[in-house]
Amino acid sequence: MDFWPYLLLASLEGAVMAAVLALTALGLSLVFGVMRVVNVAHGEFFMLGAVLAWWFSSVSTQWFGISPALAFTVAFIMSPLVTAAVALVADRLVLKRLNYQPEATIVATIGILYIIQQLALTFYGPDARPVVAPFSYRVQLPWFGYSGYKLFVIAAAVFLLGLVWFLLSRTRAGLLMRATQQDYETAQAFGIPVSRVYAGVFAFGAMLAAMAAVLIVPIQQAHYLMGLDPLLLSFIVVIIGGLGSLRGTLIAALLIGMSDGIISVFFSPTLAKILATTLVAMVLVFRPQGLFGDRPQ
Amino acid sequence: MSRDSKRDNHRDTSLDLNRQPVDVKRRKLLTGLGLTAGAVAGSQLLPVTGRYVQAASSEPIRIGFQAHRTGIGASYGRWYERTTIAAAARINDMGGINGRPVEIIVEDDGTDPKRGAEVIEKFATKHKTDVAYGTLFSHVVIGSAPRAGELKMPYFVVSEGHHVASGMLNRYVLQPGITDVKSQVIAMAPWIGDNLGKKVTMIYPDFAFGHDHRDNFSEAIKAQGGEVIEKIAIPPTETSFFKYFPKIPRETEVVYHVMVGPAVLTFVKEMGEFFGANRPEIFGFIDSLEAVDMNSPGLEALDGTYFWEAMPRYATGDEHDAFYRAHVGVNETGASTTDAKDVSTYSHMFGCWETLNIIKRGMEACNYQGPDDRASLIEAVESFETFEKSDNHPQGDKVFNGKTHQAFGAQHISQLNEGKLEVVHTTSIEDGMYEDEVDYTTQSL
């Protein structure tokens, strides 16, 4: 294949990855930014989103006989909501009782990771199951064919990211989140229900991961071990972008996603991973607060 | 001083407890009682099982089944387990082995070599099984085999890997129930070269099993006057494949693919999307679609392509095949009789059925009594030369090489036509023969 079409393919693949990664990592970054909780179970919320998407779409096609497109819509609405509910319960039952202490919550979320993963294994099983894409349109470019659904994933993710930005910067809920993020004691003094904001943010973070998973699950299959990769990549993105910095997260997701796509196409996927982790190490050594993080006080 | 204050704190808490409403206390008490009762019951159970295990006479033959219940091999594991249970039930119905019932002890290895070795250890020390059996994934076999050798535990694998016949393992590892990759590839290369094309691009997983394909097929197609023009190795944990396809050179006449793991459907779907209508010839190992419904959305693009099958997934009308299907619970299209969406790993799992029957035959040949006879069991199996097509060997006739511990059988090439696989060519056993690379019988037992 010639250079330019090759580059186009690489960029398309990178853009799909960046789009999904941005959504997932944004959830992780938001939870850390507002709550100072390093959520190790974030990848499992991603997996839960995918597994529930399979469940909702297959149940709605089998029992109600609706079209794949409609079934996907049902999954896209219901799966993130249920995932958010699970996160809410985890917050109330575990994180709140630990008073959100950073060390304790790391260990607790590792526990939550295993609980969710093993529950998925028990009730969903060890198989990888496909979710039918809402439409199967194949875009024939002069040099190669490309999945129309993948282009839709990029567009949908950009739209959702815009929605999150609007929510955070233009609504009252966003204002409460930002106030809590800046200084939770002062926020509390001003009558902001910090505990409820925490619960809401944790649920919202999980919901973002689940949304990303529902988008990706017609491309990859839902599998109980699928949470590990998004977790690692989200951590890479959040560390490079700066913990808690949403702008940094977006830019880092774009950087990691695109470079992973392009480097894996032109060289090898292993090299892409090597470079990403080297970048993390470099950032940690020379700019520990991340590229866009606030300087430590 | 500090100790005193701690004690005071403690007293405070207990006082607090006393002040709590009565119903909470009762609930706690009940839970506590329940737990204690459970613990007592549990501890009573243990000695009972222990006593049973120690009973010597009419004890069952214990076969430790190392199963991929979880991890990337889970769909294979599920069907290996069903086949194993069906085969063991049939053996027990026929009177067991040497008049003793067969008991299958299943341990999950998580499709992980490290856990695989631990499972072998557990079979030897905890379950005291007579033999270990059943592993598919080559990295688990390679990880477990040394421990089996050290423990002098006969280890019957159903893996297809060339690692047994290559001499990499030891005398305690045998593969009598399924042909290895080298033999499959050698048997099929002439047909590929004659019918599909000579310039081949290979796509394979980047571990031992994939390397077996790469090395043996490259050599075999060279012997046909063809060549492998590109080798694309894919990391075993990869979930997205589109980025690999541009590496397929334009002059490629045949794409040869073999993938395993949970992402196989993504792989074939994305390959279909990439090529569309103007694709080269595609020849795949059915591994790329084991446990996958041929009518899954996105597979239309593979219509007209070819697959290797060890045992045709779609029923051919053969009586032994029908007998085996009925026992394992597989319908005519290769899916479970109870759930048409649960597609089997039909080209691999027959190996479990046949291997268990070979273990039976071996134990009967050496009048196996217990773990002390493990060495004689190995020698007995080594002395076998052929397995005839029958209800015991539904896949077909096999030739067994006692020196290399490897079986050889016929292979099939099937074409996918409108969501159904049809056999277009069957090789002879001789097509897949190659020179011995090891003589395990020279190793001490």
Side-chain angles (χ1 to χ4, degrees):
Chain A
M1 200 179 278
D2 299 329
F3 178 75
W4 291 109
Y6 206 173
L7 186 68
L8 175 67
L9 184 147
S11 319
L12 283 173
E13 282 293 290
V16 174
M17 183 167 172
V20 175
L21 190 53
L23 272 178
T24 319
L26 195 60
L28 188 72
S29 177
L30 205 60
V31 167
F32 181 80
V34 177
M35 304 165 69
R36 303 278 128 182
V37 165
V38 177
N39 181 16
V40 185
H42 195 64
E44 302 315 306
F45 289 131
F46 182 90
M47 179 273 288
L48 197 60
V51 165
L52 287 170
W54 174 84
W55 193 79
F56 278 114
S57 74
S58 52
V59 160
S60 50
T61 27
Q62 265 175 23
W63 294 0
F64 305 106
I66 58 178
S67 69
L70 210 55
F72 181 80
T73 317
V74 171
F76 190 75
I77 295 167
M78 289 308 293
S79 161
L81 286 179
V82 176
T83 309
V86 171
L88 201 64
V89 171
D91 175 79
R92 294 289 94 171
L93 286 185
V94 183
L95 301 183
K96 190 181 178 212
R97 287 167 188 241
L98 296 173
N99 291 324
Y100 303 100
Q101 296 162 21
E103 293 87 357
T105 49
I106 290 181
V107 179
T109 50
I110 294 176
I112 295 173
L113 177 157
Y114 281 115
I115 292 171
I116 298 179
Q117 199 179 79
Q118 294 305 309
L119 284 177
L121 175 61
T122 309
F123 293 104
Y124 170 81
D127 295 313
R129 301 175 205 227
V131 169
V132 182
F135 58 91
S136 59
Y137 180 70
R138 182 173 169 273
V139 183
Q140 179 64 56
L141 301 169
W143 316 277
F144 57 87
Y146 202 71
S147 152
Y149 178 74
K150 281 189 178 174
L151 300 176
F152 166 77
V153 169
I154 301 174
V158 169
F159 174 75
L160 288 172
L161 288 170
L163 216 59
V164 174
W165 171 82
F166 180 81
L167 182 83
L168 285 179
S169 60
R170 292 286 186 274
T171 65
R172 196 179 140 72
L175 184 70
L176 296 186
M177 278 189 216
R178 280 180 293 138
T180 313
Q181 170 163 18
Q182 274 177 13
D183 187 342
Y184 80 94
E185 279 176 339
T186 315
Q188 204 158 23
F190 274 79
I192 292 175
V194 169
S195 165
R196 252 187 275 165
V197 171
Y198 275 11
V201 165
F202 197 68
F204 186 60
M207 196 165 144
L208 285 174
M211 283 182 185
V214 183
L215 284 178
I216 204 73
V217 84
I219 304 174
Q220 298 172 7
Q221 285 94 50
H223 186 240
Y224 79 104
L225 290 176
M226 73 190 294
L228 187 64
D229 253 17
L231 178 73
L232 287 181
L233 284 168
S234 296
F235 268 120
I236 289 177
V237 162
V238 169
I239 290 170
I240 291 176
L243 275 168
S245 158
L246 299 187
R247 189 177 49 140
T249 304
L250 284 185
I251 293 172
L254 205 61
L255 183 77
I256 292 296
M258 291 303 280
S259 69
D260 188 275
I262 291 170
I263 295 167
S264 11
V265 168
F266 282 98
F267 301 98
S268 90
T270 317
L271 182 68
K273 297 276 184 300
I274 292 173
L275 288 180
T277 34
T278 313
L279 186 58
V280 169
M282 290 295 127
V283 166
L284 285 175
V285 171
F286 295 108
R287 206 180 150 83
Q289 73 273 29
L291 296 181
F292 297 88
D294 298 328
R295 284 186 176 283
Q297 282 144 19
Chain B
M1 177 70 193
S2 65
R3 202 181 287 165
D4 281 351
S5 64
K6 253 187 203 163
R7 205 175 291 156
D8 285 347
N9 279 340
H10 182 72
R11 205 176 297 146
D12 281 351
T13 1
S14 57
L15 277 175
D16 274 344
L17 267 176
N18 282 336
R19 253 181 259 130
Q20 278 177 348
V22 184
D23 60 335
V24 173
K25 232 174 77 180
R26 190 181 298 148
R27 197 190 301 149
K28 271 192 176 167
L29 194 73
L30 283 175
T31 329
L33 271 177
L35 281 177
T36 326
V40 169
S43 61
Q44 274 178 340
L45 256 177
L46 280 174
V48 175
T49 10
R51 229 175 286 144
Y52 182 69
V53 167
Q54 278 158 12
S57 60
S58 81
E59 213 181 300
I61 300 266
R62 286 193 182 78
I63 297 180
F65 173 33
Q66 191 185 34
H68 304 323
R69 267 191 178 158
T70 54
I72 60 168
S75 11
Y76 284 96
R78 183 178 66 242
W79 281 99
Y80 267 41
E81 193 166 335
R82 286 178 188 165
T83 312
T84 300
I85 287 167
R90 175 173 169 261
I91 290 173
N92 281 333
D93 285 347
M94 296 189 307
I97 299 176
N98 290 335
R100 291 162 63 187
V102 173
E103 186 189 344
I104 303 288
I105 292 155
V106 192
E107 281 282 348
D108 179 20
D109 60 20
T111 326
D112 172 7
K114 189 171 160 284
R115 267 175 76 181
E118 288 164 5
V119 164
I120 296 291
E121 185 98 38
K122 222 169 154 182
F123 284 150
T125 54
K126 185 182 166 207
H127 300 301
K128 310 235 185 303
T129 62
D130 296 284
V131 298
Y133 142 94
T135 324
L136 167 73
F137 269 65
S138 55
H139 60 314
V140 184
V141 171
I142 293 168
S144 309
R147 200 70 195 105
E150 284 160 12
L151 293 164
K152 300 196 180 294
M153 168 71 80
Y155 183 38
F156 292 85
V157 299
V158 189
S159 147
E160 298 195 307
H162 179 52
H163 32 257
V164 179
S166 72
M168 182 188 195
L169 306 178
N170 57 64
R171 194 166 176 189
Y172 279 88
V173 188
L174 302 114
Q175 184 156 256
I178 193 165
T179 310
D180 73 330
V181 167
K182 179 167 184 172
S183 167
Q184 294 165 354
V185 163
I186 291 174
M188 283 177 306
W191 190 89
I192 297 174
D194 290 346
N195 295 282
L196 302 181
K198 305 260 188 217
K199 288 183 176 164
V200 183
T201 292
M202 295 186 74
I203 307 176
Y204 53 88
D206 201 3
F207 62 92
F209 169 71
H211 300 165
D212 279 355
H213 275 276
R214 177 194 63 195
D215 300 341
N216 295 308
F217 185 79
S218 302
E219 238 171 74
I221 198 77
K222 207 181 274 172
Q224 302 300 317
E227 66 171 323
V228 174
I229 52 175
E230 183 68 53
K231 297 170 184 173
I232 303 174
I234 297 189
T237 51
E238 187 59 271
T239 51
S240 158
F241 303 89
F242 208 84
K243 51 193 174 225
Y244 297 94
F245 297 125
K247 291 186 185 145
I248 300 172
R250 205 173 281 172
E251 63 271 26
T252 298
E253 291 167 2
V254 187
V255 172
Y256 175 112
H257 65 91
V258 50
M259 287 303 296
V260 287
V264 287
L265 184 59
T266 312
F267 171 76
V268 281
K269 256 164 73 173
E270 293 194 333
M271 187 158 68
E273 271 160 10
F274 181 81
F275 282 121
N278 41 21
R279 57 169 175 80
E281 291 289 357
I282 295 179
F283 178 88
F285 263 61
I286 195 68
D287 306 49
S288 298
L289 282 174
E290 279 285 64
V292 172
D293 187 349
M294 286 296 173
N295 293 303
S296 301
L299 290 192
E300 304 82 9
L302 285 180
D303 214 54
T305 70
Y306 298 89
F307 285 93
W308 160 84
E309 289 190 288
M311 191 166 184
R313 183 188 291 185
Y314 289 80
T316 50
D318 179 272
E319 56 166 325
H320 303 299
D321 179 61
F323 176 86
Y324 161 76
R325 269 177 209 265
H327 269 76
V328 181
V330 177
N331 68 17
E332 301 228 311
T333 61
S336 161
T337 44
T338 52
D339 177 7
K341 281 195 170 165
D342 190 357
V343 176
S344 67
T345 56
Y346 206 71
S347 270
H348 295 81
M349 64 201 214
F350 70 87
C352 292
W353 179 278
E354 301 203 359
T355 303
L356 276 180
N357 285 311
I358 291 162
I359 294 175
K360 172 179 153 70
R361 189 174 143 191
M363 285 183 166
E364 284 167 356
C366 71
N367 191 23
Y368 183 89
Q369 294 301 322
D372 292 342
D373 296 334
R374 282 173 181 158
S376 342
L377 173 64
I378 299 279
E379 284 170 338
V381 176
E382 280 171 350
S383 71
F384 294 158
E385 285 172 354
T386 53
F387 307 119
E388 258 173 54
K389 182 166 185 176
S390 59
D391 288 346
N392 289 344
H393 298 280
Q395 191 264 346
D397 290 332
K398 298 219 173 39
V399 172
F400 183 68
N401 185 332
K403 288 179 178 167
T404 63
H405 286 191
Q406 179 59 53
F408 298 87
Q411 312 299 327
H412 308 277
I413 293 170
S414 304
Q415 191 177 24
L416 184 60
N417 277 325
E418 291 165 4
K420 190 172 182 267
L421 284 163
E422 286 166 14
V423 177
V424 294
H425 176 70
T426 300
T427 70
S428 72
I429 298 181
E430 290 68 36
D431 289 344
M433 295 291 216
Y434 53 85
E435 268 180 46
D436 292 0
E437 291 165 34
V438 64
D439 184 356
Y440 282 120
T441 58
T442 58
Q443 296 179 5
S444 63
L445 274 164

